[in-house]
Amino acid sequence: MNTLIATIEKLQKEGFSVINSVYSEAEITEIIDCITKASADVRSDENAKHVFAIRQLMKKIPELKSLLFTEKFHELLKNVFEEDCFLTKAIYFDKPSESNWFVAYHQDLSISVDRKQDVSNYTNWTFKKGQYGVQPPLDILENIVTVRVHLDKTEKENGALKVIPKSHLKGIYRPETIDWTTETEHVCEVEKGGVMLMKPLTLHASNRTTNHKQRRVLHLEFSTKQLAKPLEWQEYCAL
């Protein structure tokens, strides 16, 4: 319990934290098998050789819910939030050894909603891959916690996230204004079956894979706040 409390305290203070051994080897194998079967169906539908991402993951693979939301995972969320939370977004990312990319420093400023509506303080609307995205008020972004479940051991050489500690405390922080004379960079290496917690306003990036090892991650976002009506979370899922 002391380790968990220290993990949550670091998340609040630094904007990120890592806790390993959240899932057993057997649990990770079940999750991977479930996604692998679904990925085969996606490849068939899209005529693709490889699936790099599956968005709206819980809607497309609902059987994942029982595999992911274990007793240990619920205990983690209970300590992260002071009240009942719910899932707002779920994405599966696969950065394979033979074909990969880098991601420049950024904050996650957009949420997925069920419609486009002119609502005060909801700005920068987008429509991508069949869903609406919008930048909500700061208090919504500050309430979200991202939980990244690592299905592979993730190191600096295969795309572990780089973060700028405490950048989540500075509101909207444009990457082009980063002052590297005062900021530091931290690489978040995570064991297979481990979890990385992150505030969406934490500046983060990742390099290309150089060690020819796969990096598969489940990107899950949770919140306790409802949106301004009539907007609803596109991927709302009660726990």
Side-chain angles (χ1 to χ4, degrees), residues 132-146:
Y132 289 105
V134 67
Q135 183 175 322
L138 199 58
D139 68 304
I140 297 290
L141 291 173
E142 289 174 338
N143 176 258
I144 296 170
V145 173
T146 299

Side-chain angles (χ1 to χ4, degrees), residues 72-88:
K72 203 166 187 177
F73 191 79
H74 275 289
E75 183 68 19
L76 175 62
L77 290 179
K78 191 188 301 183
N79 280 272
V80 171
F81 291 99
E82 294 181 355
E83 54 188 303
D84 289 343
C85 67
F86 47 83
L87 182 74
T88 65

Side-chain angles (χ1 to χ4, degrees), residues 95 101-106 161-162 204-208 215:
K95 182 177 281 194
W101 57 92
F102 79 94
V103 179
Y105 268 106
H106 66 286
L161 279 195
K162 305 181 296 182
H204 56 285
S206 68
N207 291 336
R208 291 184 174 88
R215 189 214 69 180

Side-chain angles (χ1 to χ4, degrees), residues 4-59:
L4 186 53
I5 292 172
T7 299
I8 305 309
E9 288 178 348
K10 182 173 181 180
L11 170 67
Q12 302 299 337
K13 182 180 177 181
E14 302 287 331
F16 70 96
S17 59
V18 171
I19 182 165
N20 288 308
S21 303
V22 176
Y23 295 93
S24 68
E25 185 77 31
E27 288 170 335
I28 290 296
T29 297
E30 279 192 282
I31 292 169
I32 290 173
D33 288 347
C34 183
I35 294 171
T36 299
K37 181 180 181 299
S39 295
D41 296 335
V42 172
R43 286 200 303 272
S44 176
D45 290 343
E46 298 181 359
N47 251 348
K49 291 183 178 180
H50 194 96
V51 174
F52 298 105
I54 302 176
R55 298 178 184 278
Q56 298 194 32
L57 188 64
M58 285 313 161
K59 290 187 176 183

Side-chain angles (χ1 to χ4, degrees), residues 10-11 14-20 105 146 148-150 152-167 184-192 194-199 202-207 215 217:
K10 182 173 181 180
L11 170 67
E14 302 287 331
F16 70 96
S17 59
V18 171
I19 182 165
N20 288 308
Y105 268 106
T146 299
R148 291 169 59 88
V149 178
H150 285 252
D152 300 292
K153 181 179 174 67
T154 305
E155 304 167 287
K156 180 180 180 180
E157 293 78 16
N158 69 326
L161 279 195
K162 305 181 296 182
V163 300
I164 298 180
K166 300 183 179 180
S167 52
T184 58
E185 179 178 271
H186 178 83
V187 179
C188 299
E189 297 188 316
V190 187
E191 295 293 327
K192 180 178 181 179
V195 160
M196 176 186 173
L197 306 173
M198 185 179 70
K199 293 284 193 175
T202 301
L203 278 163
H204 56 285
S206 68
N207 291 336
R215 189 214 69 180
V217 173

